[in-house]
């Protein structure tokens, strides 16, 4: 969704802003803009464009003035269409103030009406423009005070950056519900809504919390609350690395991230298992271990792919622990009238750590007294900060909008949490040791599947003419069927439906004919025979079937149209091997169709609106 980048220092600002915007592109957006200022003569550059950042870049001319600070934005339209006028930065009646904003100003209509009565002229359909005029309305001779007053009048969420030509060499950033991270460089500050925008320049960061603002100026940063009371914060060092060749030779980030998965698994388990004792050691959960021992019920809440990780977690925890386990879409959980107590644990699963619904769900759970845990990739993200305790994926940035490596990472870490809880509550040391041994073999199994990528590519090519797909699986492989279908639909725009295989007879089977193929996750395990029966039912109706099956299974090749063989592991971990061919199938299918795989239409990497 929307992205913010701003810079103040000694370098020419516009190229830094453009590069930052490009690094925010993966989040999804439909227009972009920047405002940069030369503090010597207060000359400025104010550019906007619809479409890609490359369009904005075209507007930057070689003879454009040198600017030494500025702000920029990628917009994902909420209020008003994606037009140049609606693109950020927005300005006030004087044209001296420039402001970019992530989030939603909920009371913008009433504020706008008041401002119009006071003589302000609006040109856009956005909620953001209200904020620019509101600051102008409150501005006497103190810029910080005007921003503070304006922010105290708005309801909703914001991450903002604002500059004013009359107050040179000052950028004010502030947040409520929408991230702002300040990068500390050598005599320069570069703040953004996402670390990826500036990781090339610095890995020393300060995270703003809700209702905090910061004044970035020459070699100085002042952080305050919204009453301008100063807050002292030390920079943190983050371990994400910057690489020039970001795609490492792969055509898309998604493909690179699929191929990173053996490493992702290693990173997820590094230092987190005690082999001889068959137990995991998760530092992030240690402060709440006593409470975890007393839990009766655990509920996973998340969205999209992270929801399917939670669904896998439900089956997994039922197998390894004595807890009652539940899973819910965060967007539904938050509105349910659940009876939660201190014996409830709620695990918020999120790659970005910023998903608005997941955040709202965890706040609701907290309100009702549950222990709230996080399973998050982005360090320092809002969900990571608001949970009582949690575990990081340590999977590095995931740039492809379609989540792949984080799904596998989340599932591996769910195994570690289940192992920890299970071993504290009755799981035998033998079961613990067996699980750890197999988890350690996962990178090898995943590599074996990745080596088959050419064969999977051929299967994808063969099925290109089809426009509808059914994905089926049972028990632990049901979430994998759902995830496989999500991958295909989100990047190729082809209809794909995931279903528990047993439910097929209760409706979807009526769709089956020679034009409606099924992808069946049918590896060995206690539901295998039942899967074969479902496949036979599809074949009896002329449906084509692609099966994901266990290496060495000779029978299935005689029943289905195409088989993708995968190595065998224990039931619990098999889904983490099975998901790999489904990711590759979706990737190649979309690539053959020429889709914009890393930035699929209408989607955003981090969904920060509800
Ligand atoms: O950052 P989160 O894990 O909270 O994001 C949740 C979903 O928005 C995300 O998984 C989405 O469904 C992806 N596009 C799936 O590939």
């Amino acid at each position: 969704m929307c992205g913010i980048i701003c810079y103040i220092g000694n370098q020419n600002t516009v190229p830094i802003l453009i590069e930052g915007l490009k690094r925010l592109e993966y989040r999804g957006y439909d227009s972009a803009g920047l405002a940069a200022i030369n503090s010597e003569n207060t000359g400025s550059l104010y550019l906007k464009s619809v479409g890609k950042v490359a369009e904005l870049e075209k507007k930057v001319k070689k003879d454009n003035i040198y600017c030494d600070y500025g702000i920029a934005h990628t917009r994902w339209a909420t209020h008003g269409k994606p037009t140049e006028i609606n693109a950020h930065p927005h300005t006030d009646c004087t044209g001296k103030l420039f402001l970019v904003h992530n989030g939603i100003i909920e009371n913008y209509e009433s504020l706008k009406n008041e401002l119009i009565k006071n003589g302000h002229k609006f040109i856009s359909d956005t909620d953001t423009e209200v904020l620019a005029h509101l600051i102008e309305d409150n501005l006497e001779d103190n810029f910080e005070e005007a921003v503070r007053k304006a922010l105290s009048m708005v309801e909703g969420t914001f991450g903002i950056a604002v500059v004013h030509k009359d107050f040179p060499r000052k950028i004010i950033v502030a947040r409520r519900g929408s991230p702002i991270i300040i990068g500390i460089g050598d005599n320069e500050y570069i703040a953004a809504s996402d670390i990826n925008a500036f990781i090339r320049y610095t890995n020393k960061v300060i995270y703003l919390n809700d209702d905090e603002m910061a004044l970035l100026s020459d070699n100085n940063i002042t952080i305050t609350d919204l009453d301008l009371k100063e807050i002292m914060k030390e920079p943190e060092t983050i371990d994400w690395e910057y690489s020039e060749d970001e795609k490492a030779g792969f055509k898309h980030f998604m493909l690179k991230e699929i191929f990173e998965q053996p490493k992702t698994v290693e990173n997820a388990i590094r230092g987190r298992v005690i082999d001889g004792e068959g137990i995991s050691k998760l530092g992030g959960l240690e402060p709440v271990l006593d409470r975890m021992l007393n839990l009766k019920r655990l509920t996973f809440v998340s969205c999209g792919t992270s929801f399917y990780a939670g669904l896998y977690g439900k089956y997994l925890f039922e197998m390894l622990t004595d807890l009652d386990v539940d899973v819910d879409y965060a967007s539904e959980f938050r509105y349910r009238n659940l009876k939660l107590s201190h014996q409830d644990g709620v695990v918020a699963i999120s790659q970005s750590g910023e998903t608005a619904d997941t955040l709202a769900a965890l706040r609701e759970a907290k309100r009702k007294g549950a222990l709230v845990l996080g399973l998050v990739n982005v360090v320092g993200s809002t969900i990571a900060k608001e949970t009582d305790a949690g575990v990081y994926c340590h999977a590095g940035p995931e740039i492809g909008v379609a989540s792949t490596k984080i799904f596998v990472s989340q599932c591996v870490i769910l195994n570690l949490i289940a192992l920890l809880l299970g071993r504290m509550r009755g799981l035998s040391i033998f079961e613990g040791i067996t699980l750890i041994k197999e988890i350690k073999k996962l990178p090898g199994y995943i590599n074996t599947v990745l080596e088959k990528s050419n064969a999977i590519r051929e299967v994808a090519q063969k099925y290109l003419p089809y426009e509808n797909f059914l994905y089926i699986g049972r028990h632990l492989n049901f979430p994998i069927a759902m995830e496989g279908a999500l991958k295909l639909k989100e990047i190729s725009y082809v209809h794909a439906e995931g279903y528990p295989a047993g439910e097929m007879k209760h409706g979807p089977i009526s769709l089956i004919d020679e034009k409606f193929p099924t992808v069946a996750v049918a590896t060995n395990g206690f539901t295998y025979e039942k899967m074969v029966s479902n496949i036979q039912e599809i074949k009896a109706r002329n449906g084509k079937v692609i099966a994901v099956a266990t290496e060495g299974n000779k029978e299935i090749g005689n029943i289905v149209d195409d088989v993708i063989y995968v190595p065998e592991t224990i039931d619990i971990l098999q889904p983490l091997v099975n998901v790999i061919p489904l990711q590759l199938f979706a990737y190649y299918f979309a690539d053959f169709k020429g889709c914009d795989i890393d930035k699929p239409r209408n989607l955003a990497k981090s969904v920060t609106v509800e």
Side-chain angles (χ1 to χ4, degrees), residues 164-193:
H164 197 294
K165 284 188 193 175
D166 287 350
F167 301 90
R169 298 289 286 171
K170 280 185 176 186
I171 301 178
I172 296 177
V173 291
R175 79 161 268 176
R176 180 185 294 157
S178 206
I180 293 286
I181 306 132
I182 303 161
I184 319 284
D186 284 341
N187 301 323
E188 61 186 0
Y189 298 107
I190 182 159
S193 52

Side-chain angles (χ1 to χ4, degrees), residues 303-306 349-352 355 401-403 486-487 490 607:
C303 305
T305 289
S306 295
I349 307 176
S350 175
Q351 186 288 126
S352 60
T355 302
V401 162
S403 186
L486 178 65
K487 286 291 87 86
E490 68 180 335
V607 183

Side-chain angles (χ1 to χ4, degrees), residues 180-181 195 205-209 233 236 238 379-380 385:
I180 293 286
I181 306 132
I195 288 168
V205 302
I206 290 179
Y207 295 95
L208 278 196
N209 288 332
K233 285 195 176 193
E236 299 174 35
I238 45 163
V379 175
K385 281 180 182 291

Side-chain angles (χ1 to χ4, degrees), residues 57 79 89 114 120 148 169 173 233 264 392 416 420 425 453 462 487:
E57 196 175 13
H79 296 61
E114 273 307 303
H120 290 265
R148 186 198 72 77
R169 298 289 286 171
V173 291
K233 285 195 176 193
T264 309
Y392 282 119
L416 301 186
L420 180 68
R425 302 164 66 119
S453 61
K462 178 173 164 187
K487 286 291 87 86

Side-chain angles (χ1 to χ4, degrees), residues 302-308 349-356 358 375 383 398 400-404 406 410 483 486-487 490 600 603-607:
S302 39
C303 305
T305 289
S306 295
F307 172 77
Y308 298 133
I349 307 176
S350 175
Q351 186 288 126
S352 60
E354 300 295 346
T355 302
T358 310
L375 170 41
I383 293 176
E398 187 180 63
V401 162
S403 186
T404 52
I406 300 302
Q410 288 167 339
E483 172 60 5
L486 178 65
K487 286 291 87 86
E490 68 180 335
L603 289 180
K605 184 67 184 162
S606 171
V607 183

